[in-house]
Amino acid sequence: MKQFLLAVKRLDITCHTIAGIVLAFMMLVTLGDVFMRNIGHPIVGTVELISFCGSVVVGFAIPYASWMKVHVYVDILITKLNTRNRMIMSAMTRVLAIALFIFIGYNFILYGLDLKNTHEVSAGLKLPYYPIPFGLSFSCFLQAVTLFADFVKTVKGGDYE
């Protein structure tokens, strides 16, 4: 079980690193566009690149954020429960979230296939749209696996860091 949890954590860190690199690229493109726009030669397709990269940054950052538990957590009702009921509530929410992310990932695949079949491309740079939903579906499935790992940690009662 430790190998599984370690593999999930490594994959989450890899995706998080990719998100960070893409975010740095977004900043450089924006900076370059602002500079080039001031001298009269803006970079063509900046909005498209930033939009595509933004979806990668958000999608690939979610699993590691979930692993590290840095997301917003509202616990007004949970704090009033005893430890056993808190663990049950945590396990139930993980199971529901796993189902939700599998559903979202599946629908991203369907959407990506639809975009691929229709040969949809962006207006300026003529970049195909279909890789974005496929990347987001990967991120959703990884999030489901991360939540499953968190479910295992919750049920087993260990931290496994």
Side-chain angles (χ1 to χ4, degrees), residues 17-28 49 52-54 56-57:
T17 303
I18 291 169
I21 291 168
V22 172
L23 181 62
F25 173 75
M26 286 173 62
M27 292 186 313
L28 289 174
L49 283 174
F52 282 22
C53 290
V56 171
V57 168

Side-chain angles (χ1 to χ4, degrees), residues 122-143:
S122 64
L125 296 176
K126 305 293 185 220
L127 296 172
Y129 283 120
Y130 72 89
I132 299 302
F134 288 150
L136 291 174
S137 69
F138 170 76
S139 175
C140 287
F141 291 136
L142 180 58
Q143 174 65 8

Side-chain angles (χ1 to χ4, degrees), residues 9 14 20 42 49 51 85 92 100-101 116 122 137 143 145:
K9 184 176 180 181
T14 301
L49 283 174
S51 299
N85 287 340
M92 285 177 28
L100 176 69
F101 277 101
K116 186 172 179 164
S122 64
S137 69
Q143 174 65 8
V145 172

Side-chain angles (χ1 to χ4, degrees), residues 68-123:
M68 296 302 293
K69 297 186 187 318
V70 295
H71 50 276
V72 175
Y73 185 72
V74 180
D75 59 351
I76 295 170
L77 297 174
I78 302 297
T79 56
K80 299 191 186 305
L81 298 174
N82 62 26
T83 306
R84 181 179 179 278
N85 287 340
R86 217 178 292 157
M87 191 161 65
I88 290 171
M89 183 66 82
S90 178
M92 285 177 28
T93 57
R94 296 304 182 280
V95 169
L96 289 172
I98 289 167
L100 176 69
F101 277 101
I102 289 173
F103 176 75
I104 294 170
Y106 172 73
N107 280 290
F108 269 133
I109 287 175
L110 294 179
Y111 183 55
L113 290 172
D114 186 46
L115 289 174
K116 186 172 179 164
N117 291 336
T118 59
H119 303 287
E120 190 100 18
V121 294
S122 64

